[in-house]
Amino acid sequence: MNKIVIGAVTAVVVGVGAAAGWYFIGKESGPSVASVGSAPALDCAGIKANVDATLAALPPEVKATYSGLECAGAKLTFAELRFGFLGGGGVEDSALKLSGLVIDDAFAANAKTVFNAASYPQGQAPGTAALPLAGKITAVKVAIGPASGGGIAFDNLDISDLASRQFGKAPPATLAELGALGPAGLADVLQAFSFSAFTFKNLTGGPADAVTPGATKTVLSIASVGLSAFDGKTLGGLDVASITATPDAGSGKVSFGSIGVKGLGVADLAALATSAANMGMGDETSMGVKALLSITAESATVKAFEAAGLDDPKDRIKFASISVEQLKALAFSKLTLEGLEGVVSASDVFFSLDKLTLAGIDIGSALKPLETDPNAEPDFSKMRADAYDLAGLKVGPVEGARVELASLTARSSDYVDGIATRGSASLKSLVFPAAIIPEGDRQPLTDLGYDALKFDASTDYAFDPKTKTMDLKDFTLKLVDGGALTLKFNFSNFDIQALQAAAQSFEPPAALLASKVTGASLSYKDDTLIGRALKLIAKEQGATEDALIEQAKGFIQMQIAAAPGPVTKAALEGALAFVNSRKGVTITLAPPAAVSFGELAGLIENVEGAAAALGLTVKAD
């Protein structure tokens, strides 16, 4: 068990390790919970004696009192019903008080069958049929906490069509026994119940007020909470509106406009906890991973989140919404984040993002090894992302120029053994302002005539896992108002899995030596960059641009004269043509026969041999 403490109130949370929480395993649509129907009339003449006997049978650490008891037909009303929870020395630690409590269509006999230990004969299996308990339970106000102050309170409790089967074991005779149930036992208790709706409003909570005795300092407030259609295995929905939390000490606050989750359930958590207990597994890492991988949901959405002033009054982070669709085992069909913005004043950083959409994401497969071995490493090669779409990113100082990215899109598909055999990406308008570079280092950029560098980029590839052929169809990097560089290649015997394994273990990519070059090209198309560079160098050297060009031509002509063979000579002549035109150049590799990188390493001192083996050509535009 794990605990959340607000003041002196302790809430038990089903969960294990780092994944503690209420875990619901869902379907694409919520369950259908039927009405419990009409209850038979209560024995109103003997109702007080029955209530007194029921409360007297509670664990000895619980002292119950009530006032304003009324009975009519199948309806039971209390002006107030209070349960005090005693600690050491019989002193009350906390209490649960319900004011204006009304139970409509109360099934008294069924309540005894579920909650009375005498209804669980030894040697007889508990009943599995869902028994109606109440058509509706309402309370004007509910307060949980000690008389000295602190705790939580909320208004307008409303539970509809409450039912329950018998628990897996007879109800504990003491609170200590209840606390010792463990995750499996508590999950069984939770799964026993069903309801069509469970709502309340105006929740407030916090520690005892240090100034006013018996009062509570509010650090948490929630406008409303609604759970719908829970059948013991799945929950139709959870909707929480207007959440605000503030630190007990210090400043700042955290708020949510709303949280909504659809298609939740608990069945797999109980199975997980039970199997872990039977196997003797107790490692928190493994159990935490198992619990995380057991979560599914049809959808989840958080809107209008903001955290401000927690470490510094100027700090903040907020987003308009974040939503997840079809979550299962830490994989989801779609995640969308909109309207992100934040400030980290200690680092003088501002960031914002208009929208991020991820599709076909699988993180869980990378964590699978940790399910059985807490010391295992995540297998990051199994992580998967079918699509990224990012728009409107800005990062930079709180005041001043910032790096901006208009859009980034990426696609991956046709997975084989966890490898995307098709992929493409496009980057639009990545802008680096000169002003973000320290003043003493930005002069070369300014001398080139740029107030900012603006880039576009794109890539497209295909991989054939049968032939281990990697075909980079395009990788283009363009400096807007500068020039564009494009790379293409085709490598055979390209062992991606071996290269990934080497990268994960931080070893040299030895498998690359066996890869073979079957074709490649690198081209550059100039716009203004060469002219800008010539102007800058000429200024620095006190020379003319024409003189620099002649100097470069003279150097290449010397290399041509000393070329070790016809292939290198032709390539140098192509380079000379580029210096003359200064428009563009393409370097092409077209080996007569595929040549491996290992073979090329053996030709490092044989320039002509390497050039011939690669089929090197250089052509100017």
Side-chain angles (χ1 to χ4, degrees), residues 13-46:
V13 181
V14 179
V16 185
W22 292 106
Y23 296 113
F24 298 102
I25 309 306
K27 301 178 179 178
E28 291 187 358
S29 59
S32 175
V33 178
S35 168
V36 298
S38 299
L42 296 168
D43 176 15
C44 289

Side-chain angles (χ1 to χ4, degrees), residues 278-328:
N278 291 339
M279 291 169 61
M281 293 180 60
D283 182 82
E284 289 191 1
T285 300
S286 293
M287 294 300 292
V289 170
K290 281 178 174 287
L292 284 171
L293 294 178
S294 74
I295 302 170
T296 69
E298 180 185 350
S299 65
T301 303
V302 178
K303 294 183 178 180
F305 168 81
E306 182 172 8
L310 297 177
D311 294 321
D312 186 285
K314 297 178 181 178
D315 285 352
R316 72 176 187 277
I317 181 171
K318 64 180 182 178
F319 57 78
S321 68
I322 183 169
S323 62
V324 174
E325 298 177 14
Q326 301 299 330
L327 170 67
K328 183 178 182 180

Side-chain angles (χ1 to χ4, degrees), residues 127-419:
T128 57
L131 304 175
L133 299 179
K136 184 179 281 288
I137 300 175
T138 60
V140 174
K141 192 169 189 67
V142 178
I144 308 172
S148 58
I152 60 174
F154 50 86
D155 302 333
N156 302 333
L157 172 67
D158 190 327
I159 306 172
S160 299
D161 300 311
L162 180 65
S164 177
R165 59 166 171 75
Q166 285 193 312
F167 307 133
K169 295 181 179 179
T174 67
L175 292 185
E177 291 180 17
L178 175 65
L181 281 177
L186 288 171
D188 172 71
V189 171
L190 177 63
Q191 284 182 272
F193 291 95
S194 65
F195 52 79
S196 63
F198 187 123
T199 64
F200 57 85
K201 297 180 179 180
N202 304 324
L203 181 144
T204 58
D209 193 306
V211 178
T212 307
T216 298
K217 179 182 177 182
T218 300
V219 299
L220 173 67
S221 65
I222 302 175
S224 65
V225 175
L227 293 86
S228 62
F230 178 60
D231 67 356
K233 294 183 179 180
T234 59
L235 182 73
L238 167 66
D239 293 285
V240 185
S242 189
I243 308 166
T244 301
T246 57
D248 183 14
S251 60
K253 73 171 185 176
V254 177
S255 62
F256 298 82
S258 65
I259 299 174
V261 187
K262 304 297 180 185
L264 308 172
V266 294
D268 282 9
L269 177 63
L272 166 64
T274 303
S275 63
N278 291 339
M279 291 169 61
M281 293 180 60
D283 182 82
E284 289 191 1
T285 300
S286 293
M287 294 300 292
V289 170
K290 281 178 174 287
L292 284 171
L293 294 178
S294 74
I295 302 170
T296 69
E298 180 185 350
S299 65
T301 303
V302 178
K303 294 183 178 180
F305 168 81
E306 182 172 8
L310 297 177
D311 294 321
D312 186 285
K314 297 178 181 178
D315 285 352
R316 72 176 187 277
I317 181 171
K318 64 180 182 178
F319 57 78
S321 68
I322 183 169
S323 62
V324 174
E325 298 177 14
Q326 301 299 330
L327 170 67
K328 183 178 182 180
L330 287 184
F332 44 86
S333 63
K334 187 177 182 180
L335 180 148
T336 304
L337 171 64
E338 295 184 278
L340 175 67
E341 183 179 300
V343 170
V344 183
S345 56
S347 305
D348 187 33
V349 172
F350 168 90
F351 58 88
S352 67
L353 178 64
D354 291 344
K355 187 174 182 178
L356 171 65
T357 301
L358 307 177
I361 304 300
D362 183 359
I363 301 171
S365 294
L367 300 180
K368 290 287 285 184
L370 294 172
E371 278 192 296
T372 53
D373 181 3
N375 297 314
E377 293 292 331
D379 186 357
F380 292 112
S381 66
K382 297 294 178 61
M383 289 183 67
R384 171 172 172 170
D386 290 345
Y388 300 82
D389 288 280
L390 178 152
L393 175 66
K394 297 180 182 179
V395 180
V398 175
E399 299 291 340
R402 296 161 183 159
V403 176
E404 299 185 13
L405 174 60
S407 68
L408 170 64
T409 61
R411 299 289 183 269
S412 301
S413 63
D414 300 298
Y415 283 80
V416 176
D417 295 330
I419 297 171

